[in-house]
Amino acid sequence: MNPFTKLDGLVAPLDRANVDTDAIIPKQFLKSIKRSGFGPNAFDEWRYLDVGQPGQDNSKRPLNPDFVLNQPRYQGAQILLTRDNFGCGSSREHAPWALEDYGFRVLIGPSFADIFFNNSFKNGLLPIKLDAAEVDELFRQCEANEGYRLVVDLAAQTITRPDGRTIGFDIDPFRKECLLNGWDDIGLTLRHADKIKAYEERRRAEHPYYFA
Amino acid sequence: MAAQTLYEKLWSSHVVHEEADGTALIYIDRHLVHEVTSPQAFEGLKLAGRKPWRISSIVATADHNTPTDHWEQGILDPVSRQQVETLDANIREVGSLAYFPFKDERQGIVHVIGPENGATLPGMTVVCGDSHTSTHGAFACLAHGIGTSEVEHVMATQCLLQKKSRTMLIRVDGQLGQGVTAKDVVLAIIGKIGTAGGTGYAMEFGGSAIRSLSMEGRMTICNMAIEAGARAGMVGVDETTIEYLEGRPFSPKGEAWEQAVAYWRTLKSDEGAQFDKVVELKAEDILPQVTWGTSPEMVTTVDGRVPDPAAVADPVRREGIERALKYMGLEPNTPITEIAVDQVFIGSCTNSRIEDLREAAAVAKGRRKADSVKRVLVVPGSGLVKRQAEDEGLHEIFVAAGFEWREPGCSMCLAMNADRLEPGERCASTSNRNFEGRQGAGGRTHLVSPAMAAAAAVTGHFTDVRQLG
């Protein structure tokens, strides 16, 4: 996993609540057995005017001019502003894969769905929860100012606006550490292999029927 | 010891290790695997030179991509076929407790085959790279969906990194009216608390109305806990749980059964256990439900109307409703019963078990699909469900009504195979998600119970199943 430390990035606003993972990456692209290459199909049904299929040359497809991420001013955005319950629905990790492959590294919103939130951290994508009022203000500023950027500092747990205001955010210390260092969860867990074995032996003795 | 909730009992019996900030390593008893969310995990494992920790925890099947007709032709879509063949190859290489490949008589939707084979047992932690893993909580399991990185993590370590959830009790007391099913109960719950109402919570369903449900009904409710934002839903053990499990292929036998049952009986929330949140519904207040929008919380009763966004003050909500109505092709204030459907889908991990098919057949019996309805798909949840339904003659009722009786799989719940809506088509569906494009790009999904789906199939529009007689 790529470490995440600090980012000074262009911001794009996606002003709708309950953006589900079917919208982030539609099911036909889940047939891939790879982990990469989902970016061109992120938000496929909103982004293009035709129906996308796996294996297409996406650069030749007609773009939907009404979709916010297609506006020239948001090209190259690395920070996505979202509304409530972003990432709800399916557990498909293809959703964070698609967002990351598109170029996003940070998501800022009032709330995220649990499984999506969890999946994001495994892919170097930082979802940040802020008060709804703070998010509202970021939407206002972003829409009013072309080229709107934010500086996200994970170590300091701050977001700095162009007007100089700094907003603090919360993150689990364990997740922060993993993201800062780009640590692989599995490697970390296997440091506890002896404890896992001991637990397993105990459980097998107490509840053999779970091991049949 | 202080009174504990079921969730707390399940959690504390699985903690292997805990970090200072409360992040814990949780041991996983059962790992369900399907073709869509596992290939990258198997590949990651191989690339890192790691071996699976305990293959006897793995139960696998192919369900999302598999066709539901013309099995003799195999899987025609080469991309789908590759994904299913990749699972075949991975399981062949790695091993498993059980694998039900495409065309196997016990193949089916992963959340149907786990319980029906006794591979889901009370007290287990159950995970799968699929959000509807919450289904298994009906058996007093701690069960939830995970992403592919976590699928790999569980394969490599038999554990997951987790933080303890808050607890929510949803209590439904009273007696459900005739024609009101588990699906209506869970849609009513989602309508009440919203699709983010359960975010951060483990949700337990209790009360006399839940107790009165069969295991099939409880699975329907826990299945959609995720649609209320809760990764895990659960119901405590009672006689219904134990009766269902006795004699299933992987259920314990003999002395082990007695030992297991004695433990399982303790798997319910203690009297006086404290929940972080309690939500109460009266069973008598719940009517047949129909969703009208593009989120499961956009739901009303069959005697209701499509809402009018002009009456909503909050701008984000109002725009959400406007966008949903535009997508759904609906006018504000339209009575639900005046909405005509093009297709009907009876199936999915929410509603494809034998009881669901019986409910749909009871409505279909002696009736015919309305001429205006293009197609009615009935897709059993597994090969075993299919066989049982055929033993009971349900398939003959469906076929006589002009419904299509298909082979098992996820089918048009998410339309990864050939079963899908055309743009603009409207569907009465017993599945779990009415998101934009879920059943096919541009398709319009209304979530209902199996009985309500059958009622829409025979009348051509949403109809209060209680009035069909």
Side-chain angles (χ1 to χ4, degrees):
Chain A
M1 183 175 81
N2 291 329
F4 183 101
T5 49
K6 195 169 177 179
L7 173 76
D8 176 348
L10 183 69
V11 185
L14 186 60
D15 195 0
R16 50 170 94 187
N18 298 317
V19 172
D20 58 74
T21 53
D22 277 82
I24 298 171
I25 184 79
K27 83 292 257 74
Q28 61 270 38
F29 305 108
L30 272 49
K31 297 181 187 185
S32 168
I33 56 170
K34 298 198 179 79
R35 249 188 137 100
S36 56
F38 295 100
N41 300 110
F43 303 110
D44 199 273
E45 285 182 20
W46 294 340
R47 188 165 157 197
Y48 301 100
L49 293 169
D50 61 349
V51 176
Q53 290 305 329
Q56 262 176 314
D57 180 354
N58 293 291
S59 67
K60 300 211 167 91
R61 295 175 58 198
L63 290 172
N64 174 6
D66 295 334
F67 182 53
V68 64
L69 295 184
N70 287 337
Q71 294 178 24
R73 62 185 282 199
Y74 298 124
Q75 298 316 300
Q78 290 180 287
I79 299 173
L80 185 67
L81 291 182
T82 71
R83 293 292 186 185
D84 262 319
N85 204 25
F86 187 85
C88 60
S90 150
S91 65
R92 59 188 70 166
E93 195 161 319
H94 313 66
W97 292 341
L99 294 170
E100 201 264 349
D101 197 47
Y102 181 95
F104 291 117
R105 297 301 310 277
V106 175
L107 310 169
I108 301 174
S111 65
F112 296 89
D114 282 342
I115 302 177
F116 173 82
F117 187 74
N118 208 27
N119 285 342
S120 295
F121 284 100
K122 315 282 180 194
N123 294 283
L125 189 63
L126 172 62
I128 299 175
K129 287 184 224 176
L130 293 182
D131 283 346
E134 291 281 14
V135 176
D136 270 345
E137 180 56 23
L138 291 177
F139 266 100
R140 265 194 297 275
Q141 294 195 356
C142 177
E143 283 159 4
N145 299 286
E146 197 161 335
Y148 187 80
R149 300 177 78 84
L150 292 170
V151 178
V152 178
D153 185 337
L154 178 57
Q157 294 180 221
T158 57
I159 299 169
T160 307
R161 298 195 316 214
D163 61 10
R165 182 178 142 74
T166 296
I167 308 163
F169 63 87
D170 288 333
I171 179 171
D172 286 342
F174 183 76
R175 281 186 162 135
K176 177 178 173 179
E177 196 71 5
C178 290
L179 208 49
L180 281 172
N181 293 289
W183 279 339
D184 157 23
D185 276 359
I186 296 177
L188 287 181
T189 297
L190 286 174
R191 291 181 312 173
H192 302 294
D194 289 346
K195 274 190 155 178
I196 302 172
K197 282 190 192 124
Y199 173 91
E200 195 166 55
E201 276 168 33
R202 215 163 53 236
R203 186 158 179 80
R204 198 188 289 269
E206 279 173 31
H207 303 285
Y209 41 85
Y210 292 141
F211 293 80
Chain B
M1 198 166 69
Q4 282 187 306
T5 64
L6 172 58
Y7 173 72
E8 284 157 350
K9 292 180 186 183
L10 293 170
W11 172 268
S12 60
S13 62
H14 286 88
V15 174
V16 171
H17 170 79
E18 204 165 341
E19 302 284 343
D21 75 344
T23 305
L25 268 186
I26 294 295
Y27 186 81
I28 301 303
D29 296 306
R30 175 68 66 230
H31 189 185
L32 303 167
V33 172
H34 66 81
E35 78 276 20
V36 179
T37 54
S38 65
Q40 298 88 350
F42 281 111
E43 190 192 19
L45 207 62
K46 210 180 295 179
L47 287 175
R50 289 176 175 132
K51 291 262 172 274
W53 186 279
R54 182 163 74 82
I55 54 171
S56 69
S57 68
I58 296 175
V59 172
T61 194
D63 54 5
H64 284 60
N65 278 279
T66 54
T68 59
D69 61 354
H70 295 295
W71 271 13
E72 74 287 354
Q73 296 176 1
I75 303 173
L76 296 177
D77 176 351
V79 198
S80 289
R81 190 170 62 238
Q82 185 194 28
Q83 202 165 51
V84 172
E85 286 172 353
T86 302
L87 178 66
D88 286 342
N90 282 329
I91 295 292
R92 218 171 22 242
E93 189 180 334
V94 165
S96 63
L97 174 71
Y99 180 42
F100 306 117
F102 176 47
K103 295 189 186 181
D104 187 279
E105 62 174 3
R106 286 200 275 168
Q107 180 265 351
I109 305 173
V110 68
H111 307 308
V112 175
I113 63 163
E116 75 181 3
N117 284 290
T120 300
L121 297 171
M124 278 183 164
T125 41
V126 180
V127 296
C128 176
D130 191 288
S131 60
H132 291 110
T133 309
S134 58
T135 309
H136 307 264
F139 293 85
C141 295
L142 177 54
H144 59 79
I146 56 179
T148 298
S149 294
E150 290 183 318
V151 170
E152 186 181 337
H153 193 278
V154 173
M155 283 181 185
T157 71
Q158 213 57 43
C159 288
L160 266 188
L161 284 162
Q162 293 271 292
K163 274 221 148 166
K164 201 170 172 182
S165 302
R166 286 170 288 169
T167 55
M168 184 186 292
L169 174 65
I170 309 255
R171 190 160 51 218
V172 190
D173 278 314
Q175 200 171 355
L176 293 172
Q178 178 257 333
V180 180
T181 68
K183 183 63 164 288
D184 302 302
V185 173
V186 72
L187 285 171
I189 291 167
I190 296 164
K192 186 177 170 94
I193 69 171
T195 48
T199 304
Y201 289 93
M203 201 176 261
E204 180 174 341
F205 300 96
S208 56
I210 304 292
R211 290 269 145 247
S212 72
L213 293 172
S214 65
M215 288 317 295
E216 284 84 354
R218 296 177 191 184
M219 283 190 259
T220 299
I221 294 202
C222 290
N223 173 276
M224 289 190 73
I226 183 67
E227 262 55 68
R231 274 191 307 178
M234 61 195 76
V235 176
V237 168
D238 62 11
E239 289 311 309
T240 306
T241 326
I242 291 164
E243 272 170 31
Y244 178 97
L245 287 168
E246 192 164 13
R248 304 256 163 197
F250 291 110
S251 290
K253 310 276 184 305
E255 227 174 277
W257 169 258
E258 298 303 326
Q259 187 199 346
V261 167
Y263 171 56
W264 294 346
R265 287 192 201 281
T266 68
L267 296 174
K268 53 191 173 191
S269 289
D270 296 330
E271 195 76 35
Q274 294 297 307
F275 290 82
D276 295 308
K277 192 169 180 184
V278 177
V279 175
E280 294 179 323
L281 283 86
K282 274 206 202 90
E284 289 78 6
D285 294 344
I286 300 174
L287 301 180
Q289 308 276 312
V290 182
T291 66
W292 49 262
T294 53
S295 162
E297 70 187 20
M298 294 175 163
V299 64
T300 188
T301 51
V302 66
D303 60 355
R305 288 170 182 268
V306 173
D308 188 346
V312 176
D314 172 27
V316 175
R317 256 197 79 221
R318 184 172 61 237
E319 282 163 29
I321 294 174
E322 283 167 354
R323 195 180 291 122
L325 294 190
K326 185 168 175 230
Y327 181 84
M328 294 296 289
L330 292 172
E331 292 300 320
N333 302 313
T334 306
I336 293 295
T337 51
E338 287 179 14
I339 301 172
V341 302
D342 304 301
Q343 291 210 43
V344 175
F345 173 61
I346 298 169
S348 86
C349 58
T350 313
N351 280 131
S352 64
R353 298 180 182 82
I354 190 66
E355 182 181 282
D356 303 314
L357 301 185
R358 286 180 193 142
E359 283 171 9
V363 174
K365 192 171 186 176
R367 295 192 171 95
R368 284 282 306 170
K369 172 182 86 66
D371 289 340
S372 57
V373 175
K374 287 183 202 161
R375 183 167 75 165
V376 182
L377 287 184
V378 187
V379 183
S382 71
L384 294 184
V385 170
K386 182 171 191 240
R387 200 168 67 200
Q388 187 175 353
E390 290 178 352
D391 287 346
E392 295 179 17
L394 303 184
H395 65 310
E396 284 162 2
I397 294 173
F398 292 132
V399 171
F403 299 6
E404 294 181 27
W405 178 241
R406 293 292 189 93
E407 303 291 347
C410 299
S411 180
M412 207 162 70
C413 172
L414 87 167
M416 272 189 85
N417 69 358
D419 308 336
R420 64 186 68 154
L421 299 179
E422 294 301 317
E425 276 189 340
R426 189 179 300 286
C427 182
S429 178
T430 67
S431 55
N432 39 59
R433 289 187 177 136
N434 50 355
F435 299 156
E436 287 184 24
R438 172 80 178 180
Q439 294 192 292
R444 295 162 171 166
T445 303
H446 296 264
L447 305 176
V448 289
S449 72
M452 285 287 290
V458 299
T459 61
H461 53 84
F462 292 106
T463 298
D464 190 338
V465 67
R466 299 169 301 169
Q467 288 166 9
L468 269 185

